[in-house]
Amino acid sequence: MARTREALLLLLDVSPSMHSVLPDVEKLCSRLIQKKLIYGKNHEVGVILFGTEETENELTKEVGGYEHVKVLQDIKVVDGHLVQSLKHLPQGTCAGDFLDAIVVGVDMLIKKYGETYKGKKHLCLITDALCPLKDPDVGTKEDQVSTIARQMVAFGLRMKNIVVRASLSGEPHMRVTIENDNLLNIFSKKSSSKTLFVDSTTSLRGALKTRDISPVTIFRGDLELSEKMKIKVWVYKKTGEEKFPTLKKYSDKAPSTDKFATHEVKVDYEYKSVEDPSKVVPPEQRIKGYRYGPQVVPISSAEWEAVKFKPEKSVKLLGFTDASNILRHYYMKDVNLFIAEPGNSRATVAVSALARAMKEMNKVAIVRCVWRQGQQSVVVGVLTPNVCEKINIPDSFYFNVLPFAEDVREFQFPSFSNFPVSWQPNEQQQEVADNLVKMLDLAPSGKGEILQPELTPNPALERFYHHLELKSEHQDAAPPPLDDSLKKITEPDPTLLAESQSAIDAFSGQFVIKENPKLKKSTRRFLREKPSGSDEPNGDGSVSDAQAVNSMESKPVVTVDKIGDLTPIQDFEAMMSRRDSPDWVDKAIEDMKNKIFGLLENSDEGINYPKAVELLVALRKGCILEQEPKQFNDVLEKVCKICRKRNFSTFFDFLMSKKLSLISKSEAVDSDITDDEARSFIVKSQPKHED
């Protein structure tokens, strides 16, 4: 397919001023080719070096000039040899003229592909643009750039310019820098070119996207402002998370002589009857079941189809609001881009007029979106105007998904006023804490943003692809250490820490700093509704106590009839795991209640408090698992009432240390307790401290 074809020509500056960043250029370019070997095996790539001592290109042979420009590799399909060539770039000894390199590159692409090639044709220039350019024989440098830009437009060539302005020895001549930046700006205005300025090796690694994803519309249709007013729009994904590639299992069981072996591993599932394990249940006799407490509720596909929500494909305006009402942290998921339907001048004018009016009035639009026909999920989001000052780029809208009420997680903490005065921070402590938080800002006022998202690569992915390359050469290669340029992303910047050392020292002087010991990773499993009879594998994950399910599900079922004194928690888990009768859940909870109340009644000077709290923790987990929130909440309220009546303040300290609270609606749908009520329950219930 022409759509998947791509030709790329790398124009690399190897002049003396670039020597300090050449190792990072090598890593960047070699990683680019490695990814193309995975995702674009049919892509074609060529490499041109400029600033070299030798000259080797066709234009020099044909018309002369274009000195110190060397074609390292002609344009051809990517292979492993090119990866190795880019890892060892020669260091040039002459000044690099990027205009000569661009002319040679454009000439190579035109001669090879002409106007008939339907795939993408790109040039990528990496330079510091610090070397003076030669004057042309006829006209000015600006005229020469304009001529080259027209040729690029005529043959459908695009170019990306990455200008490295890292800390180099010596001050660059200001006049040369301004002139070269102006020439690159002319390319951006008169052709499909984009220029990025980077000031660090980390930004350099993120400036060149090593994997291009073709934009695909997720919606084509009407933006309905009213029943009689509609605008034809297309919606594209603006951003998306780059995930790890899906790795398939590889089988080495196929004979080495079989050239057509796929080496794929296929997994088939068989479902057998409980009454007769030797009998396989065919798909037409299976029905999905969903656990509800100790019960399994069967729901057929016909029933699902009858109750399924089937909205119509549409994008409808709900209203306008002030931009200040939609806060940045409300945004969810990825950003989409609304543009007018290409070629539709009336739609373009309508979108532009609406966007500029909203911009002038500082308004945003709330819209309801169903991207595809039959799609069950409906999203409500905000349209923010994107007004462009460039003549050749039409106005558009950015779309961000907004949360529904159940999506909002308000992490509200009890006020310090609920605690004794001795626990509350004084003015000095509050001030140094505020200063410490301000010190962590990556975009301090008066300075550029550190680690800009569009120029910051994913260090985990970069290391993964590096390891993949090593394993392709040596099967037993160990994971490589993280590059120094990537460590600046994962580790604190020493320069920033040194500048903010006073804030850190002030904070340390006002508080007692203790080391937090590392705990062993939990083996708990996240509770998931896995339908009975479904082919979905179980998912594992480490979560907090409030959401975790104890490992009792994975333990073998033990026949336990009551909770003993020796191992009460294990007995409780065993009884909760029994599925021969639903009565065992109620009996286990009742026995655990009696055990907890017995410990509190017979606690001499609080000796049984730790054990009682452990049993409460186990009871809470079991009630979340079996969706019995009311039983636990009743127990905890009764326990607190007893302790409040008898002034068991020490017991409340144990509850606070375990962060034990009521089961909220977010943990069990049958609960009547909100998250705020659950968080503040212990604080409100404990006896008041008197100074």
Side-chain angles (χ1 to χ4, degrees), residues 322-556:
D322 291 334
S324 59
N325 293 333
I326 307 298
L327 303 181
R328 175 65 183 83
H329 64 270
Y330 289 171
Y331 295 167
M332 300 174 65
K333 302 183 180 179
D334 301 323
V335 184
N336 294 336
L337 183 68
F338 275 63
I339 65 170
E341 182 182 53
N344 189 332
S345 58
R346 297 177 64 184
T348 303
V349 172
V351 168
S352 179
L354 182 61
R356 290 176 181 269
M358 289 169 59
K359 181 78 172 179
E360 182 178 344
M361 300 175 68
N362 196 29
K363 298 286 185 179
V364 294
I366 309 299
V367 293
R368 174 187 181 273
C369 304
V370 180
W371 304 124
R372 297 185 302 275
Q373 188 68 30
Q375 175 182 325
Q376 295 185 42
S377 60
V378 176
V379 294
V380 174
V382 56
L383 285 181
T384 306
N386 175 35
V387 177
C388 187
E389 300 301 329
K390 294 184 178 180
I391 299 176
N392 58 340
I393 300 179
D395 299 331
S396 57
F397 293 100
Y398 289 132
F399 174 83
N400 290 92
V401 178
L402 295 177
F404 291 103
E406 57 266 26
D407 296 321
V408 177
R409 297 291 182 266
E410 294 289 352
F411 295 104
Q412 296 179 355
F413 300 92
S415 173
F416 281 129
S417 60
N418 293 333
F419 296 102
V421 176
S422 59
W423 293 11
Q424 298 181 21
N426 56 41
E427 292 184 2
Q428 288 182 336
Q429 289 176 327
Q430 186 65 55
E431 183 181 357
V432 297
D434 291 342
N435 292 335
L436 182 68
V437 173
K438 293 176 183 177
M439 179 267 289
L440 301 174
D441 191 359
L442 289 177
S445 58
K447 297 182 180 180
E449 182 180 359
I450 304 168
L451 299 180
Q452 299 179 36
E454 62 271 18
L455 295 178
T456 304
N458 185 327
L461 277 171
E462 291 293 313
R463 189 183 185 206
F464 170 80
Y465 285 113
H466 188 193
H467 188 204
L468 197 63
E469 177 207 354
L470 295 179
K471 286 187 74 69
S472 67
E473 299 172 356
H474 307 285
Q475 189 173 359
D476 299 327
L482 204 61
D483 290 341
D484 291 337
S485 58
L486 298 178
K487 284 183 179 179
K488 296 178 181 178
I489 305 173
T490 60
E491 298 178 359
D493 189 333
T495 305
L496 289 178
L497 285 180
E499 293 175 355
S500 308
Q501 191 61 42
S502 58
I504 299 173
D505 294 339
F507 183 84
S508 303
Q510 291 292 330
F511 295 92
V512 178
I513 309 297
K514 294 182 179 180
E515 183 178 356
N516 187 16
K518 290 186 178 180
L519 301 177
K520 292 184 178 179
K521 288 186 178 180
S522 173
T523 57
R524 296 165 181 155
R525 300 191 305 167
F526 186 71
L527 176 62
R528 294 194 179 183
E529 277 191 332
K530 181 178 183 298
S532 175
S534 75
D535 294 344
E536 298 173 2
N538 289 329
D540 295 334
S542 296
V543 293
S544 63
D545 287 348
Q547 296 172 309
V549 178
N550 200 289
S551 57
M552 57 181 158
E553 279 196 332
S554 61
K555 294 180 179 179

Side-chain angles (χ1 to χ4, degrees), residues 500-631:
S500 308
Q501 191 61 42
S502 58
I504 299 173
D505 294 339
F507 183 84
S508 303
Q510 291 292 330
F511 295 92
V512 178
I513 309 297
K514 294 182 179 180
E515 183 178 356
N516 187 16
K518 290 186 178 180
L519 301 177
K520 292 184 178 179
K521 288 186 178 180
S522 173
T523 57
R524 296 165 181 155
R525 300 191 305 167
F526 186 71
L527 176 62
R528 294 194 179 183
E529 277 191 332
K530 181 178 183 298
S532 175
S534 75
D535 294 344
E536 298 173 2
N538 289 329
D540 295 334
S542 296
V543 293
S544 63
D545 287 348
Q547 296 172 309
V549 178
N550 200 289
S551 57
M552 57 181 158
E553 279 196 332
S554 61
K555 294 180 179 179
V557 177
V558 180
T559 305
V560 177
D561 299 326
K562 64 178 181 178
I563 296 178
D565 296 328
L566 187 61
T567 56
I569 295 178
Q570 288 81 352
D571 295 343
F572 171 71
E573 292 176 353
M575 291 178 68
M576 296 285 280
S577 299
R578 293 187 65 167
R579 291 292 178 261
D580 50 336
S581 171
D583 297 336
W584 286 113
V585 173
D586 294 333
K587 187 177 187 310
I589 294 175
E590 189 65 31
D591 285 1
M592 187 63 95
K593 289 182 191 176
N594 297 333
K595 188 68 65 177
I596 293 169
F597 291 136
L599 289 171
L600 292 176
E601 292 288 344
N602 302 305
S603 182
D604 184 17
E605 296 183 357
I607 191 172
N608 291 332
Y609 288 172
K611 188 67 174 178
V613 171
E614 288 181 9
L615 298 187
L616 274 171
V617 171
L619 177 61
R620 190 178 194 278
K621 293 175 183 175
C623 287
I624 292 175
L625 173 63
E626 299 298 339
Q627 293 294 289
E628 298 286 354
K630 189 176 186 307
Q631 296 206 50

Side-chain angles (χ1 to χ4, degrees), residues 11-32:
L11 312 177
L12 307 180
D13 187 352
V14 295
S15 59
S17 61
M18 284 286 291
H19 288 179
S20 60
V21 294
L22 267 187
D24 291 281
V25 173
E26 293 172 347
K27 293 175 184 176
L28 175 65
C29 296
S30 60
R31 195 65 41 82
L32 169 67

